[in-house]
Amino acid sequence: MSATLCPASAILSTVTSMTSSTASALTVHQTARPTGFPTPGHFRFVESPVPEPGPGTALVENLYWSVDPYHREMMDGHFELNSPLEGRTLGRVIESRDAALPEGEIVFHRHGWRTHSVVRPDEARRLPHHEGVPLSAHLGILGGTGLTAYVGLTRIAQLREGEDLFVSAAAGGVGTATGRLARLMGAGRLVGSAGTPAKVAFLKEQVGYDEAFDYHAGNVADLLATAAPDGIDVFVDNVGGEHLAAAIGALRERGRVVRVGTVGQYNTPDAPDTRFNHADIVEKSLRMEGFLVRNYRDVQEELYAFAVPHLLGGRLALDETVVEGFDRIVDAFLSMLRGGNTGKMLVKRS
Ligand SMILES: NC(=O)c1ccc[n+]([C@@H]2O[C@H](COP(=O)([O-])OP(=O)(O)OC[C@H]3O[C@@H](n4cnc5c(N)ncnc54)[C@H](OP(=O)(O)O)[C@@H]3O)[C@@H](O)[C@H]2O)c1
């Protein structure tokens, strides 16, 4: 499933200078710290000459960019103001001064949010050639998104065949990957929550969820009790708050909570967190564990070995929303924070 967003006119006001000249590069800077949801006014596009690679580096023309919820967290302090932003990116080496990065090679790197990047070999990973696998998959199901879902299921939940799962933000990148991988791993009943009725239908009709609900339709605990009347074994949590409290109530004995992220709180960090029943953790012998995918890079080859045959065999589909044009990267990011994506939110060079 692949969708395309409509242009948002607001973003055009942030583009201070933009030409189609191949001799110029564009970079996005953060210009101010947001309170609550960021706006286009917190960003600026900066035009400069295309950088030249020095010895031991290569110039990459970027082709796909990932916009991620963690960028919102970084905007609160980790991203330096008025400096190029970072981000996960795929690009083609167009000029090289290091034999480890040959011209024409497609690489993954983190110097994103810019049209051109200069990278060292230790900053770029050459992508494996899997004939028939679309390039965008390397930022989605085969990239950090899919790896997060795979690690969550295999290393943190240690999912066993037949176990019942609940996934929050189920229609997003990690959520769709979790549902599809769990189904292939032999999970039992799959229940997901998402922000619109259209996403609920998509989860049930296309991703393979048995049941899903719109979390705006009522109290999450009640909605979950209806969707999973016999309880769940595993909760993969992308949201936190009310979802987490509801899932702890629904977990069976020896259930596991996989804490992936807290996207429900990134724009409202001061909001009081929903309380969960601490006694449940003891009385049902529950385990809650968080993780960062960057600490599981050694699982990447295992993910390829599992997912690529399923992709090529048509048993695993790509869920992505692709926004065309680097000048719409801020638009894509802001839209993702408000649920404008189905599957992984990507930006493609036009
Ligand atoms: N631990 C790690 O290493 C790691 C790695 C990657 C991602 N993550 C985390 O995984 C989660 C999902 O990331 P992703 O990249 O796949 O993003 P995503 O789910 O594709 O996009 C974010 C989604 O969050 C949902 N959302 C926004 N505000 C919400 C709220 N208040 N309550 C419930 N849902 C809300 C929106 O969907 P709706 O329309 O359904 O609201 C939106 O589509 C995030 O928490 C992220 O930080 C963690």
Side-chain angles (χ1 to χ4, degrees):
M1 191 265 178
S2 189
T4 304
L5 279 190
C6 296
S9 54
I11 190 62
L12 295 177
S13 65
T14 72
V15 182
T16 52
S17 174
M18 188 179 298
T19 73
S20 58
S21 162
T22 52
S24 66
L26 280 175
T27 304
V28 181
H29 294 190
Q30 182 186 342
T31 55
R33 304 274 176 224
T35 305
F37 276 93
T39 68
H42 291 101
F43 300 90
R44 184 162 52 105
F45 282 78
V46 176
E47 188 175 11
S48 61
V50 172
E52 290 192 11
T57 69
L59 174 65
V60 177
E61 183 178 60
N62 295 322
L63 303 172
Y64 277 97
W65 296 265
S66 172
V67 289
D68 296 86
Y70 85 87
H71 287 132
R72 174 62 192 87
E73 291 184 281
M74 302 284 282
M75 288 183 76
D76 285 336
H78 287 87
F79 279 150
E80 207 174 309
L81 294 183
N82 303 307
S83 294
L85 296 181
E86 67 146 78
R88 298 185 296 124
T89 307
L90 303 176
R92 179 181 286 107
V93 176
I94 56 171
E95 193 180 341
S96 181
R97 297 191 62 189
D98 193 294
L101 292 173
E103 286 170 19
E105 197 73 14
I106 302 289
V107 295
F108 166 91
H109 67 87
R110 292 177 176 279
H111 293 271
W113 290 66
R114 61 196 95 179
T115 54
H116 299 77
S117 308
V118 171
V119 296
R120 299 189 309 262
D122 64 320
E123 295 173 323
R125 181 165 61 88
R126 288 166 71 171
L127 292 183
H129 298 282
H130 297 299
E131 191 67 35
V133 172
L135 183 56
S136 60
H138 290 278
L139 284 181
I141 193 75
L142 298 181
T145 299
L147 190 61
T148 301
Y150 187 82
V151 166
L153 292 169
T154 60
R155 301 306 197 271
I156 314 299
Q158 298 168 18
L159 181 74
R160 292 183 289 269
E161 238 177 77
E163 286 192 320
D164 299 331
L165 238 76
F166 171 45
V167 182
S168 58
V174 173
T176 50
T178 301
R180 290 194 188 272
L181 295 177
R183 184 53 82 222
L184 291 168
M185 290 170 187
R189 185 173 170 80
L190 282 179
V191 173
S193 70
T196 65
K199 288 187 178 183
V200 167
F202 162 74
L203 288 174
K204 294 202 281 189
E205 291 162 17
Q206 296 190 44
V207 186
Y209 277 83
D210 298 293
E211 195 49 83
F213 61 84
D214 176 352
Y215 61 85
H216 297 109
N219 174 293
V220 176
D222 294 341
L223 295 165
L224 180 58
T226 304
D230 300 325
I232 54 174
D233 299 298
V234 170
F235 175 42
V236 177
D237 188 17
N238 294 303
V239 172
E242 196 187 350
H243 278 84
L244 179 57
I248 286 174
L251 278 162
R252 300 183 186 124
E253 201 161 319
R254 298 202 176 274
R256 284 88 74 204
V257 176
V258 181
R259 288 285 299 117
V260 180
T262 316
V263 71
Q265 294 173 13
Y266 297 158
N267 291 295
T268 50
D270 298 330
D273 204 354
T274 309
R275 289 169 180 236
F276 61 83
N277 186 344
H278 291 225
D280 270 351
I281 303 279
V282 179
E283 285 159 17
K284 295 195 280 187
S285 303
L286 305 182
R287 179 165 61 80
M288 181 170 357
E289 185 175 343
F291 72 103
L292 290 173
V293 69
R294 66 168 183 242
N295 296 325
Y296 289 86
R297 292 289 164 218
D298 57 327
V299 185
Q300 182 69 59
E301 291 301 322
E302 189 182 313
L303 172 65
Y304 289 147
F306 181 82
V308 170
H310 286 304
L311 270 176
L312 296 176
R315 295 175 298 279
L316 184 57
L318 301 184
D319 301 300
E320 52 188 31
T321 297
V322 181
V323 173
E324 295 265 349
F326 178 75
D327 56 318
R328 295 176 61 214
I329 190 167
V330 174
D331 180 20
F333 171 62
L334 300 179
S335 170
M336 178 276 299
L337 290 179
R338 293 187 184 272
N341 58 311
T342 301
K344 177 74 193 111
M345 183 63 112
L346 297 174
V347 178
K348 182 176 186 234
R349 183 174 181 268
S350 52

Short mmCIF file of all heavy atoms in Angstrom, two decimals, residues 86-130:
data_model
loop_
_atom_site.label_atom_id
_atom_site.label_comp_id
_atom_site.label_asym_id
_atom_site.label_seq_id
_atom_site.Cartn_x
_atom_site.Cartn_y
_atom_site.Cartn_z
N GLU A 86 19.73 16.16 11.20
CA GLU A 86 20.11 14.79 10.85
C GLU A 86 18.86 13.99 10.51
O GLU A 86 17.74 14.42 10.79
CB GLU A 86 20.83 14.12 12.01
CG GLU A 86 19.93 13.90 13.22
CD GLU A 86 20.25 12.63 13.99
OE1 GLU A 86 21.22 12.64 14.75
OE2 GLU A 86 19.51 11.64 13.81
N GLY A 87 19.03 12.84 9.92
CA GLY A 87 17.89 11.97 9.65
C GLY A 87 18.32 10.80 8.78
O GLY A 87 19.32 10.87 8.06
N ARG A 88 17.55 9.72 8.87
CA ARG A 88 17.89 8.50 8.12
C ARG A 88 17.53 8.69 6.64
O ARG A 88 16.43 9.11 6.31
CB ARG A 88 17.17 7.31 8.72
CG ARG A 88 17.60 7.06 10.17
CD ARG A 88 17.00 5.83 10.77
NE ARG A 88 15.57 5.92 10.87
CZ ARG A 88 14.72 5.05 10.36
NH1 ARG A 88 15.16 4.03 9.67
NH2 ARG A 88 13.42 5.20 10.52
N THR A 89 18.48 8.37 5.79
CA THR A 89 18.40 8.75 4.38
C THR A 89 19.03 7.68 3.49
O THR A 89 19.97 7.00 3.90
CB THR A 89 19.19 10.07 4.18
OG1 THR A 89 18.71 11.01 5.11
CG2 THR A 89 19.07 10.62 2.78
N LEU A 90 18.50 7.55 2.26
CA LEU A 90 19.13 6.71 1.24
C LEU A 90 19.57 7.61 0.09
O LEU A 90 18.81 8.49 -0.32
CB LEU A 90 18.15 5.68 0.69
CG LEU A 90 17.49 4.73 1.68
CD1 LEU A 90 16.48 3.85 0.94
CD2 LEU A 90 18.53 3.87 2.38
N GLY A 91 20.76 7.37 -0.42
CA GLY A 91 21.20 8.18 -1.55
C GLY A 91 22.21 7.44 -2.41
O GLY A 91 22.65 6.33 -2.07
N ARG A 92 22.54 8.09 -3.54
CA ARG A 92 23.50 7.49 -4.48
C ARG A 92 24.80 8.27 -4.44
O ARG A 92 24.79 9.50 -4.47
CB ARG A 92 22.92 7.53 -5.91
CG ARG A 92 23.85 6.95 -6.95
CD ARG A 92 23.30 7.02 -8.35
NE ARG A 92 22.24 6.06 -8.56
CZ ARG A 92 20.95 6.36 -8.65
NH1 ARG A 92 20.55 7.62 -8.59
NH2 ARG A 92 20.04 5.42 -8.84
N VAL A 93 25.90 7.56 -4.37
CA VAL A 93 27.21 8.21 -4.40
C VAL A 93 27.43 8.77 -5.80
O VAL A 93 27.36 8.03 -6.79
CB VAL A 93 28.33 7.20 -4.05
CG1 VAL A 93 29.71 7.87 -4.18
CG2 VAL A 93 28.13 6.64 -2.65
N ILE A 94 27.63 10.10 -5.89
CA ILE A 94 27.82 10.69 -7.22
C ILE A 94 29.25 11.18 -7.44
O ILE A 94 29.64 11.48 -8.56
CB ILE A 94 26.81 11.83 -7.49
CG1 ILE A 94 26.89 12.92 -6.42
CG2 ILE A 94 25.39 11.28 -7.61
CD1 ILE A 94 26.05 14.16 -6.77
N GLU A 95 30.04 11.27 -6.37
CA GLU A 95 31.45 11.65 -6.53
C GLU A 95 32.19 11.08 -5.33
O GLU A 95 31.75 11.28 -4.19
CB GLU A 95 31.58 13.18 -6.56
CG GLU A 95 32.92 13.66 -7.03
CD GLU A 95 33.00 15.20 -7.03
OE1 GLU A 95 31.92 15.86 -7.03
OE2 GLU A 95 34.12 15.71 -6.98
N SER A 96 33.26 10.36 -5.57
CA SER A 96 33.91 9.69 -4.43
C SER A 96 35.41 9.94 -4.41
O SER A 96 36.08 9.93 -5.45
CB SER A 96 33.64 8.18 -4.49
OG SER A 96 34.25 7.57 -3.38
N ARG A 97 35.91 10.13 -3.19
CA ARG A 97 37.36 10.20 -2.99
C ARG A 97 37.78 9.15 -1.97
O ARG A 97 38.74 9.31 -1.23
CB ARG A 97 37.75 11.61 -2.56
CG ARG A 97 37.41 12.62 -3.67
CD ARG A 97 37.98 13.96 -3.43
NE ARG A 97 39.44 13.95 -3.38
CZ ARG A 97 40.18 14.99 -3.00
NH1 ARG A 97 39.56 16.11 -2.64
NH2 ARG A 97 41.48 14.93 -2.96
N ASP A 98 36.99 8.05 -1.96
CA ASP A 98 37.35 6.91 -1.11
C ASP A 98 36.85 5.62 -1.78
O ASP A 98 35.67 5.52 -2.12
CB ASP A 98 36.71 7.04 0.28
CG ASP A 98 37.32 6.05 1.26
OD1 ASP A 98 37.14 4.83 1.07
OD2 ASP A 98 38.00 6.51 2.21
N ALA A 99 37.75 4.66 -1.94
CA ALA A 99 37.42 3.44 -2.68
C ALA A 99 36.32 2.63 -2.00
O ALA A 99 35.64 1.82 -2.64
CB ALA A 99 38.68 2.57 -2.83
N ALA A 100 36.11 2.86 -0.71
CA ALA A 100 35.07 2.10 0.00
C ALA A 100 33.67 2.57 -0.38
O ALA A 100 32.69 1.89 -0.05
CB ALA A 100 35.29 2.23 1.50
N LEU A 101 33.58 3.72 -1.02
CA LEU A 101 32.26 4.25 -1.42
C LEU A 101 32.28 4.55 -2.91
O LEU A 101 32.40 5.71 -3.34
CB LEU A 101 31.95 5.53 -0.63
CG LEU A 101 31.70 5.36 0.87
CD1 LEU A 101 31.57 6.71 1.57
CD2 LEU A 101 30.44 4.51 1.13
N PRO A 102 32.16 3.51 -3.75
CA PRO A 102 32.27 3.71 -5.20
C PRO A 102 31.12 4.54 -5.76
O PRO A 102 29.99 4.47 -5.25
CB PRO A 102 32.21 2.29 -5.77
CG PRO A 102 32.21 1.36 -4.62
CD PRO A 102 31.91 2.12 -3.37
N GLU A 103 31.41 5.28 -6.80
CA GLU A 103 30.36 6.08 -7.44
C GLU A 103 29.27 5.16 -7.99
O GLU A 103 29.56 4.08 -8.49
CB GLU A 103 30.97 6.94 -8.56
CG GLU A 103 31.75 8.10 -7.96
CD GLU A 103 32.60 8.88 -8.95
OE1 GLU A 103 32.34 8.78 -10.16
OE2 GLU A 103 33.52 9.59 -8.49
N GLY A 104 28.03 5.57 -7.84
CA GLY A 104 26.89 4.77 -8.30
C GLY A 104 26.30 3.91 -7.21
O GLY A 104 25.17 3.44 -7.32
N GLU A 105 27.06 3.70 -6.13
CA GLU A 105 26.57 2.83 -5.04
C GLU A 105 25.43 3.53 -4.27
O GLU A 105 25.44 4.74 -4.06
CB GLU A 105 27.73 2.56 -4.07
CG GLU A 105 27.50 1.40 -3.15
CD GLU A 105 27.59 0.05 -3.85
OE1 GLU A 105 28.09 -0.02 -4.99
OE2 GLU A 105 27.15 -0.93 -3.24
N ILE A 106 24.45 2.71 -3.85
CA ILE A 106 23.36 3.24 -3.02
C ILE A 106 23.72 2.99 -1.55
O ILE A 106 24.09 1.86 -1.18
CB ILE A 106 22.02 2.53 -3.33
CG1 ILE A 106 21.65 2.69 -4.81
CG2 ILE A 106 20.90 3.05 -2.43
CD1 ILE A 106 21.23 4.08 -5.21
N VAL A 107 23.64 4.04 -0.76
CA VAL A 107 24.04 3.91 0.64
C VAL A 107 22.95 4.44 1.57
O VAL A 107 22.12 5.27 1.19
CB VAL A 107 25.36 4.68 0.94
CG1 VAL A 107 26.52 4.07 0.18
CG2 VAL A 107 25.22 6.17 0.63
N PHE A 108 23.00 3.94 2.80
CA PHE A 108 22.18 4.45 3.90
C PHE A 108 23.09 5.28 4.79
O PHE A 108 24.23 4.89 5.08
CB PHE A 108 21.61 3.27 4.71
CG PHE A 108 21.04 3.68 6.04
CD1 PHE A 108 19.70 4.02 6.16
CD2 PHE A 108 21.85 3.74 7.18
CE1 PHE A 108 19.17 4.43 7.38
CE2 PHE A 108 21.32 4.14 8.41
CZ PHE A 108 19.98 4.48 8.50
N HIS A 109 22.60 6.45 5.21
CA HIS A 109 23.38 7.25 6.17
C HIS A 109 22.43 8.14 6.97
O HIS A 109 21.21 8.12 6.74
CB HIS A 109 24.44 8.08 5.43
CG HIS A 109 23.86 9.14 4.55
ND1 HIS A 109 23.54 10.39 5.00
CD2 HIS A 109 23.49 9.13 3.23
CE1 HIS A 109 23.01 11.10 4.02
NE2 HIS A 109 22.97 10.35 2.93
N ARG A 110 22.98 8.90 7.92
CA ARG A 110 22.14 9.70 8.82
C ARG A 110 22.29 11.20 8.61
O ARG A 110 21.74 11.98 9.38
CB ARG A 110 22.50 9.35 10.27
CG ARG A 110 22.09 7.95 10.62
CD ARG A 110 22.48 7.54 12.02
NE ARG A 110 21.95 6.22 12.26
CZ ARG A 110 20.71 5.95 12.61
NH1 ARG A 110 19.86 6.95 12.80
NH2 ARG A 110 20.30 4.71 12.77
N HIS A 111 23.00 11.61 7.57
CA HIS A 111 23.15 13.05 7.29
C HIS A 111 21.99 13.50 6.40
O HIS A 111 22.20 13.97 5.28
CB HIS A 111 24.49 13.34 6.60
CG HIS A 111 25.67 13.11 7.48
ND1 HIS A 111 26.20 14.09 8.29
CD2 HIS A 111 26.43 12.01 7.69
CE1 HIS A 111 27.24 13.60 8.96
NE2 HIS A 111 27.39 12.32 8.62
N GLY A 112 20.78 13.33 6.90
CA GLY A 112 19.61 13.60 6.07
C GLY A 112 19.11 15.02 6.20
O GLY A 112 19.83 15.91 6.65
N TRP A 113 17.87 15.25 5.80
CA TRP A 113 17.23 16.58 5.77
C TRP A 113 18.07 17.54 4.92
O TRP A 113 18.19 18.71 5.22
CB TRP A 113 17.00 17.13 7.18
CG TRP A 113 15.93 16.40 7.94
CD1 TRP A 113 16.00 15.10 8.36
CD2 TRP A 113 14.66 16.88 8.38
NE1 TRP A 113 14.84 14.74 9.02
CE2 TRP A 113 14.00 15.84 9.05
CE3 TRP A 113 14.01 18.12 8.28
CZ2 TRP A 113 12.72 15.98 9.61
CZ3 TRP A 113 12.74 18.25 8.84
CH2 TRP A 113 12.11 17.20 9.49
N ARG A 114 18.69 17.00 3.88
CA ARG A 114 19.43 17.83 2.93
C ARG A 114 19.49 17.07 1.60
O ARG A 114 19.42 15.84 1.60
CB ARG A 114 20.83 18.18 3.45
CG ARG A 114 21.73 17.02 3.71
CD ARG A 114 22.93 17.36 4.57
NE ARG A 114 22.66 17.07 5.99
CZ ARG A 114 23.52 17.25 6.98
NH1 ARG A 114 24.71 17.73 6.75
NH2 ARG A 114 23.19 16.93 8.22
N THR A 115 19.60 17.82 0.52
CA THR A 115 19.58 17.15 -0.79
C THR A 115 20.89 16.42 -1.07
O THR A 115 20.90 15.42 -1.79
CB THR A 115 19.31 18.16 -1.91
OG1 THR A 115 20.28 19.22 -1.81
CG2 THR A 115 17.90 18.74 -1.82
N HIS A 116 22.00 16.93 -0.54
CA HIS A 116 23.31 16.34 -0.79
C HIS A 116 24.06 16.21 0.54
O HIS A 116 23.97 17.12 1.38
CB HIS A 116 24.15 17.21 -1.72
CG HIS A 116 23.54 17.40 -3.08
ND1 HIS A 116 22.49 18.26 -3.30
CD2 HIS A 116 23.82 16.81 -4.27
CE1 HIS A 116 22.14 18.19 -4.59
NE2 HIS A 116 22.93 17.33 -5.20
N SER A 117 24.78 15.12 0.70
CA SER A 117 25.53 14.90 1.95
C SER A 117 26.94 14.43 1.61
O SER A 117 27.13 13.66 0.66
CB SER A 117 24.86 13.83 2.81
OG SER A 117 23.49 14.13 3.00
N VAL A 118 27.89 14.87 2.39
CA VAL A 118 29.26 14.34 2.28
C VAL A 118 29.45 13.37 3.44
O VAL A 118 29.23 13.75 4.60
CB VAL A 118 30.29 15.48 2.33
CG1 VAL A 118 31.71 14.91 2.43
CG2 VAL A 118 30.17 16.36 1.09
N VAL A 119 29.81 12.14 3.13
CA VAL A 119 29.92 11.12 4.18
C VAL A 119 31.26 10.40 4.11
O VAL A 119 31.86 10.27 3.04
CB VAL A 119 28.77 10.08 4.07
CG1 VAL A 119 27.43 10.71 4.31
CG2 VAL A 119 28.82 9.35 2.74
N ARG A 120 31.70 9.91 5.26
CA ARG A 120 32.87 9.03 5.33
C ARG A 120 32.37 7.59 5.25
O ARG A 120 31.21 7.32 5.56
CB ARG A 120 33.60 9.23 6.67
CG ARG A 120 34.15 10.62 6.91
CD ARG A 120 35.04 10.59 8.17
NE ARG A 120 34.35 9.98 9.30
CZ ARG A 120 33.73 10.65 10.26
NH1 ARG A 120 33.71 11.99 10.23
NH2 ARG A 120 33.13 10.03 11.26
N PRO A 121 33.24 6.65 4.93
CA PRO A 121 32.81 5.25 4.86
C PRO A 121 32.21 4.75 6.17
O PRO A 121 31.27 3.97 6.17
CB PRO A 121 34.09 4.49 4.51
CG PRO A 121 34.94 5.49 3.83
CD PRO A 121 34.63 6.82 4.45
N ASP A 122 32.72 5.23 7.32
CA ASP A 122 32.17 4.74 8.59
C ASP A 122 30.82 5.39 8.92
O ASP A 122 30.18 5.02 9.90
CB ASP A 122 33.17 4.97 9.74
CG ASP A 122 33.43 6.45 9.97
OD1 ASP A 122 33.54 7.19 8.97
OD2 ASP A 122 33.52 6.88 11.12
N GLU A 123 30.39 6.35 8.10
CA GLU A 123 29.08 6.98 8.33
C GLU A 123 28.02 6.47 7.36
O GLU A 123 26.87 6.88 7.44
CB GLU A 123 29.19 8.50 8.13
CG GLU A 123 30.09 9.18 9.14
CD GLU A 123 30.31 10.65 8.79
OE1 GLU A 123 30.42 10.97 7.59
OE2 GLU A 123 30.37 11.46 9.73
N ALA A 124 28.43 5.64 6.43
CA ALA A 124 27.49 5.18 5.40
C ALA A 124 27.55 3.66 5.30
O ALA A 124 28.60 3.05 5.42
CB ALA A 124 27.87 5.79 4.05
N ARG A 125 26.38 3.07 5.10
CA ARG A 125 26.30 1.61 4.95
C ARG A 125 25.85 1.30 3.53
O ARG A 125 24.81 1.79 3.09
CB ARG A 125 25.32 1.04 5.98
CG ARG A 125 25.18 -0.46 5.93
CD ARG A 125 24.49 -0.99 7.19
NE ARG A 125 23.15 -0.49 7.40
CZ ARG A 125 22.04 -1.04 6.89
NH1 ARG A 125 22.14 -2.13 6.14
NH2 ARG A 125 20.86 -0.52 7.13
N ARG A 126 26.66 0.50 2.82
CA ARG A 126 26.25 0.11 1.47
C ARG A 126 25.10 -0.88 1.59
O ARG A 126 25.17 -1.83 2.38
CB ARG A 126 27.45 -0.51 0.73
CG ARG A 126 28.47 0.54 0.37
CD ARG A 126 29.79 -0.04 -0.05
NE ARG A 126 29.75 -0.69 -1.35
CZ ARG A 126 30.84 -1.13 -1.98
NH1 ARG A 126 32.04 -0.97 -1.44
NH2 ARG A 126 30.74 -1.72 -3.15
N LEU A 127 24.06 -0.70 0.79
CA LEU A 127 22.88 -1.56 0.91
C LEU A 127 23.09 -2.86 0.15
O LEU A 127 23.69 -2.86 -0.92
CB LEU A 127 21.64 -0.84 0.35
CG LEU A 127 21.16 0.37 1.13
CD1 LEU A 127 19.90 0.93 0.51
CD2 LEU A 127 20.90 0.02 2.60
N PRO A 128 22.57 -3.94 0.67
CA PRO A 128 22.64 -5.22 -0.06
C PRO A 128 21.75 -5.15 -1.30
O PRO A 128 20.76 -4.41 -1.31
CB PRO A 128 22.10 -6.23 0.94
CG PRO A 128 21.23 -5.44 1.86
CD PRO A 128 21.82 -4.07 1.93
N HIS A 129 22.12 -5.87 -2.34
CA HIS A 129 21.31 -5.87 -3.56
C HIS A 129 20.34 -7.05 -3.50
O HIS A 129 20.75 -8.19 -3.65
CB HIS A 129 22.21 -5.98 -4.80
CG HIS A 129 23.14 -4.83 -4.92
ND1 HIS A 129 22.76 -3.60 -5.39
CD2 HIS A 129 24.46 -4.71 -4.60
CE1 HIS A 129 23.79 -2.77 -5.36
NE2 HIS A 129 24.84 -3.42 -4.88
N HIS A 130 19.08 -6.77 -3.24
CA HIS A 130 18.05 -7.82 -3.27
C HIS A 130 17.19 -7.54 -4.49
O HIS A 130 16.33 -6.65 -4.46
CB HIS A 130 17.20 -7.78 -1.99
CG HIS A 130 17.95 -8.07 -0.73
ND1 HIS A 130 18.60 -9.26 -0.50
CD2 HIS A 130 18.14 -7.32 0.38
CE1 HIS A 130 19.16 -9.23 0.69
NE2 HIS A 130 18.92 -8.06 1.24
#
